[in-house]
Amino acid sequence: MVVADVVEAISFNQNKIIPVSARLNNWNGVDNVCLGAPAVIGNVGVVKSWEVELTPAEKEKLQKSAEIIRQYL
């Protein structure tokens, strides 16, 4: 069903917010790494990352996760 949602959002340029894994660029302090995050999906794929306000503790955990993923790239 998730794949159908993504295909529909792209096919019909819905600009729908869907959680997907995409390369993040300065999203809550995370840059140049692919992580699951909410994104606006339209006819070009990811139109933009959806901004989510995180607490300082959440941002710290997110950044640690991004660093762990970078170690495997």
Side-chain angles (χ1 to χ4, degrees), residues 25-45:
N25 293 310
N26 197 25
W27 189 81
N28 283 302
V30 173
D31 208 15
N32 200 28
V33 68
C34 293
L35 288 174
V40 178
I41 308 296
N43 65 349
V44 295

Side-chain angles (χ1 to χ4, degrees), residues 25-69:
N25 293 310
N26 197 25
W27 189 81
N28 283 302
V30 173
D31 208 15
N32 200 28
V33 68
C34 293
L35 288 174
V40 178
I41 308 296
N43 65 349
V44 295
V46 176
V47 176
K48 68 176 185 173
S49 296
W50 186 257
E51 295 299 321
V52 175
E53 193 169 322
L54 301 176
T55 66
E58 290 170 329
K59 282 185 182 180
E60 184 179 329
K61 289 176 182 178
L62 177 67
Q63 290 169 355
K64 283 182 182 178
S65 294
E67 284 305 315
I68 290 169
I69 290 173

